[in-house]
Amino acid sequence: MTAFSSFCFRRNLVALCFGSSLFAASIATAKEDGLITLTLADQTLELPLSAGHSDWTGTQGFIRVSIFSRPSDLETWERFQSLRLAFDLLRNSAQLPEMSLLRRTGDADFERWYGRGDNGGLTVMVTDSSLDGDLLRVTGTFTGTLGQSGDFGRTIDLSAPMPVSGDFSVTLLPIR
């Protein structure tokens, strides 16, 4: 009886390992990537997707998209720290867009800039989107105005606005 139990355990363990490796292989081939082109006033930057901080959640008809980007080169990093663009994707139409931008000033301090659809007139136009298993591919453009905020975007001061525009093409995995 012990030999039979040992055989069953070994067989189940092999099946579990094989199944786990197939699952891991399917996750490994699913790759997040993308690029965001950002124009701030008269400065244009191309920023890679920060895959570990970008994701989506929801279902086929209603998806919440969160795109996060950081510069990959030191020169850009010294002037600009991060960009976050988020919106609801409802039947290929972007709703409730919001953006946050963190950049350095001349004295190495940070400026925090924010914009939303209801404060800064931020708009996102989705030109293409598809959901293939866990992978969400979405491309589009954005435009609007950012203002500074000391309370992480709860209130946005648009007295000295910064125009912002750009485009994005990203592939995202669901929230983990």
Side-chain angles (χ1 to χ4, degrees):
M1 184 71 170
T2 307
F4 181 73
S5 295
S6 177
F7 173 75
C8 287
F9 174 75
R10 200 172 298 146
R11 184 184 62 177
N12 289 338
L13 182 61
V14 167
L16 178 65
C17 290
F18 181 71
S20 297
S21 67
L22 286 177
F23 179 71
S26 68
I27 289 176
T29 59
K31 185 174 188 268
E32 290 179 294
D33 66 358
L35 186 68
I36 300 167
T37 303
L38 173 69
T39 302
L40 301 169
D42 59 354
Q43 179 183 24
T44 299
L45 304 166
E46 286 191 353
L47 304 167
L49 178 76
S50 179
H53 298 97
S54 302
D55 52 43
W56 67 272
T57 186
T59 62
Q60 179 73 33
F62 178 81
I63 296 173
R64 180 71 180 164
V65 176
S66 180
I67 302 168
F68 189 83
S69 181
R70 290 186 178 158
S72 56
D73 63 283
L74 184 59
E75 181 184 333
T76 306
W77 177 259
E78 289 172 346
R79 296 177 290 127
F80 174 81
Q81 300 297 295
S82 65
L83 166 75
R84 180 180 166 273
L85 175 65
F87 55 90
D88 293 341
L89 181 60
L90 181 62
R91 294 185 208 90
N92 288 332
S93 177
Q95 309 287 317
L96 303 172
E98 54 188 54
M99 180 180 282
S100 63
L101 175 76
L102 182 63
R103 71 179 197 172
R104 286 190 184 269
T105 61
D107 60 0
D109 202 7
F110 289 103
E111 294 177 338
R112 297 179 188 282
W113 295 81
Y114 295 86
R116 296 189 307 260
D118 65 342
N119 198 346
L122 182 67
T123 59
V124 173
M125 298 295 297
V126 173
T127 55
D128 189 36
S129 70
S130 65
L131 186 58
D132 181 19
D134 282 348
L135 286 177
L136 173 66
R137 291 178 180 86
V138 62
T139 60
T141 61
F142 55 88
T143 187
T145 303
L146 302 180
Q148 291 192 15
S149 176
D151 57 8
F152 299 97
R154 267 195 311 270
T155 58
I156 300 172
D157 179 6
L158 291 170
S159 62
M162 178 172 46
V164 63
S165 63
D167 57 66
F168 57 92
S169 180
V170 296
T171 302
L172 305 172
L173 285 170
I175 196 166
R176 303 175 263 308

